[in-house]
Amino acid sequence: MRILIAEDDVTSRAVLEGILTQLGHEVVTTVNGVEALEILQQPDSPMLAILDWMMPELSGVEVIQEVRSIPTDSPPFLILLTAKDKKTDVVDGLNVGANDYLVKPYDKGELIARIGVGKRMIDLQAALVESQKDLAHQATHDPLTGAMNRRAIMASLEKDLERTLREDSVLGIGLLDIDHFKAVNDTYGHQTGDDVLCELVRTINSGLRKYDSLGRIGGEEFVVVMPGKVGADSVSQFERLRSSIQKTKMKTRTGDLAITVSVGVVCAPPGASIDDLLAMADEALYQAKAGGRNRVTLAESSLHEDAVP
């Protein structure tokens, strides 16, 4: 574990560094509060710091106050080192945000124990943050394919629509449906069908740009959102995606399978609602399937609009 020691006394700093190094920790040292604050503000800053109360430029208490004012999901564990042993001083240090304290002269065993407490707290905090991330991901993503779920893709689409109004850009929305997917399930089983869905999502994601988005809205139907500049071809990006899927063999537990998709595309006109756009894309998807499948069809309302991606 990386530990910051902020201590202006040479002897005290050397003793602390020696003990912590022997314990296997990576030690970063500084001699004043300003340097300590700069280190603790860095993205890869140590998660545990021992700060002397009395330091040049900024005191340990002032450093703690500044650090605690910074919003973060992973605050560092801060130990205040002080020669003050009055209860009121200790309470003041804890009230400003110190997690723990050590009174000089301290016992080596006590130091090691308090470092151990800090490490356990840091580990618990990291586990909690990771758990929160997992829960957030589960709430917004399809558990089978990992694509955004319906609720999340609709929220993302709403933000993209707002952005197009601010930036005078355009938005391409595609409804994508696997052709004859029922035949895959009936012939090979639903587990193979699930493999196809997962492979399809991987194939689509490999062809998307970092600002495009993909969501599964039900069964074998997906929404692909592609922001773009006015004047670009609204169909070309979706056509490339369709072609890539047709050329890719989907790896499944029963062997490689070839699939095709039909795509209904709408170029979002200014002020259009999400419901209207999805209805237009759905109508275009119906036309694509009626026209023979394995094709991209642009909604009629988009034919005279400047397109996307």
Side-chain angles (χ1 to χ4, degrees):
M1 180 173 61
R2 293 182 72 224
I3 299 177
L4 170 65
I5 299 173
E7 165 68 274
D8 61 321
D9 182 80
V10 175
T11 302
S12 179
R13 187 173 64 250
V15 171
L16 279 170
E17 184 175 6
I19 294 172
L20 297 178
T21 300
Q22 287 179 356
L23 292 173
H25 299 296
E26 178 186 349
V27 179
V28 181
T29 62
T30 185
V31 298
N32 65 67
V34 170
E35 290 180 359
L37 181 58
E38 289 177 352
I39 292 171
L40 290 171
Q41 289 176 324
Q42 295 172 0
D44 60 343
S45 63
M47 288 303 297
L48 190 148
I50 301 174
L51 307 170
D52 190 27
W53 188 310
M54 302 302 296
M55 287 188 294
E57 301 187 47
L58 280 178
S59 70
V61 168
E62 290 171 326
V63 172
I64 291 172
Q65 288 175 317
E66 290 293 329
V67 171
R68 293 307 186 215
S69 69
I70 303 171
T72 176
D73 291 331
S74 302
F77 190 91
L78 304 178
I79 299 175
L80 193 58
L81 187 62
T82 178
K84 301 181 180 184
D85 58 359
K86 292 182 180 179
K87 290 296 182 182
T88 53
D89 294 326
V90 171
V91 170
D92 288 342
L94 294 174
N95 280 339
V96 299
N99 297 101
D100 207 343
Y101 68 94
L102 276 171
V103 177
K104 298 178 183 178
Y106 53 83
D107 177 77
K108 178 180 177 181
E110 183 184 8
L111 168 66
I112 294 173
R114 292 186 186 273
I115 293 294
V117 170
K119 186 177 185 307
R120 288 194 294 274
M121 292 299 296
I122 291 168
D123 291 343
L124 286 171
Q125 181 176 275
L128 177 60
V129 170
E130 192 61 33
S131 177
Q132 290 172 334
K133 289 180 180 178
D134 288 343
L135 288 173
H137 187 273
Q138 291 173 24
T140 56
H141 288 74
D142 172 46
L144 173 64
T145 65
M148 282 192 283
N149 60 25
R150 185 184 187 94
R151 186 174 185 177
I153 191 65
M154 292 301 116
S156 177
L157 177 54
E158 185 173 359
K159 290 179 181 179
D160 284 333
L161 284 172
E162 292 172 355
R163 189 179 299 111
T164 61
L165 292 176
R166 292 197 308 268
E167 300 176 357
D168 192 28
S169 57
V170 289
L171 193 65
I173 303 164
L175 275 185
L176 181 151
D177 189 89
I178 301 176
D179 297 327
H180 303 298
F181 185 64
K182 184 177 184 299
V184 174
N185 284 328
D186 290 345
T187 304
Y188 302 101
H190 287 277
Q191 288 184 321
T192 295
D194 288 348
D195 292 341
V196 169
L197 291 170
C198 293
E199 286 294 302
L200 174 64
V201 166
R202 280 192 280 272
T203 302
I204 294 174
N205 279 329
S206 68
L208 296 183
R209 302 161 299 183
K210 62 180 180 180
Y211 46 84
D212 297 332
S213 51
L214 165 68
R216 184 185 181 194
I217 60 173
E220 67 272 23
E221 194 167 68
F222 297 83
V223 172
V224 179
V225 182
M226 293 185 173
K229 297 179 179 179
V230 172
D233 179 9
S234 62
V235 175
S236 61
Q237 290 282 5
F238 290 101
E239 176 57 35
R240 280 194 286 271
L241 195 60
R242 182 209 61 77
S243 178
S244 174
I245 293 168
Q246 182 183 18
K247 295 175 182 176
T248 302
K249 298 292 186 181
M250 304 293 153
K251 297 185 182 302
T252 76
R253 67 196 66 204
T254 54
D256 293 352
L257 296 179
I259 64 168
T260 61
V261 296
S262 299
V263 188
V265 177
V266 62
C267 179
S273 70
I274 292 179
D275 288 342
D276 290 341
L277 292 171
L278 291 179
M280 288 186 281
D282 192 53
E283 176 60 27
L285 175 60
Y286 175 81
Q287 294 173 7
K289 287 189 172 293
R293 294 183 169 83
N294 190 24
R295 65 187 62 207
V296 176
T297 299
L298 183 65
E300 291 183 4
S301 58
S302 300
L303 294 179
H304 304 294
E305 299 285 345
D306 283 328
V308 318

